[in-house]
Amino acid sequence: MRVFRNTRTRQSRYFLLFVSGLVALLFVSSTAIAQGGTQPDTLLSPAQWKSFEENAAAGIRSDNAGVRSAALGQITNFGEYMDFTRDDVITVVRIYRSAGVLRNRQLAITAIGSMNNRWGIEFMDMLSATETSEQLQKSMRSVVAAYWEKHGGNPYTIN
C-alpha cells in the first residue's frame, strides 16, 4: 500500500485530473461556440429560408408539445430574420397564455419579442401589468423595452 501514498504518484494524479479537466473545458467551449450562432445561415437560399419560416409557423400550431417548443426556440433564435403574419403572433400569444409550465411561457415571451411584431409587443406590454410571476413580468418588460429602443422609442410614454 505504500505505492499509493508516494508523493510523486499523488502529484501525477493531480496533474492528470487537471489536464483532463482542461481538455473537457476546451471540448465544451468549442462545441458551444460552434452551435451558438445567432446569425442566419448564409448558406441557405431564399427558397430554403421561406421553407424554414413555413416550418416554424407550422410547428407552433402542432399538437406535439416538443415540436411547439422547438419551433418557439427557432423563432427565438432567428425570428428577426423571418416574416410572420399576425395569425402567427396570435398563436404564440395563445401558447403564452395557455402553457402551464413557466419555461414554456418564458419561451413564448422571447419568441414574441423576436418576431418584431408591434401588435404582439403592445399586447405583451398590456399583459405585463397583470402577470403574477415576477420573473415573467420582468422578462416581458425587458422584451418590450428592447423592442421600443430598437424602433425609436415608445410612443405611449412621455419622453
Side-chain angles (χ1 to χ4, degrees), residues 17-149:
L17 182 65
F18 174 74
V19 169
S20 62
L22 187 62
V23 168
L25 180 67
L26 289 174
F27 177 74
V28 169
S29 65
S30 67
T31 53
I33 291 170
Q35 294 177 355
T38 57
Q39 298 297 324
D41 190 355
T42 56
L43 299 177
L44 294 179
S45 68
Q48 290 171 326
W49 263 109
K50 185 70 174 161
S51 175
F52 183 71
E53 290 174 8
E54 291 170 359
N55 289 339
I60 59 176
R61 290 176 179 77
S62 174
D63 293 332
N64 187 326
V67 172
R68 259 193 325 269
S69 293
L72 287 174
Q74 293 302 323
I75 291 170
T76 299
N77 287 335
F78 303 109
E80 62 189 65
Y81 306 110
M82 298 182 197
D83 294 323
F84 295 101
T85 64
R86 181 170 291 176
D87 189 41
D88 296 336
V89 178
I90 290 171
T91 302
V92 176
V93 169
R94 284 186 181 144
I95 291 171
Y96 159 73
R97 295 196 56 176
S98 65
V101 180
L102 182 75
R103 173 71 178 118
N104 292 342
R105 295 179 75 203
Q106 178 76 38
L107 192 57
I109 289 169
T110 55
I112 292 169
S114 295
M115 292 173 116
N116 285 326
N117 183 285
R118 184 174 174 156
W119 181 88
I121 295 296
E122 289 175 352
F123 192 78
M124 198 173 359
D125 190 21
M126 180 183 65
L127 285 179
S128 68
T130 61
E131 178 58 51
T132 57
S133 169
E134 187 175 319
Q135 178 183 358
L136 293 179
Q137 190 177 47
K138 184 178 177 183
S139 295
M140 292 169 95
R141 289 183 177 156
S142 297
V143 166
V144 169
Y147 176 84
W148 288 122
E149 183 179 319

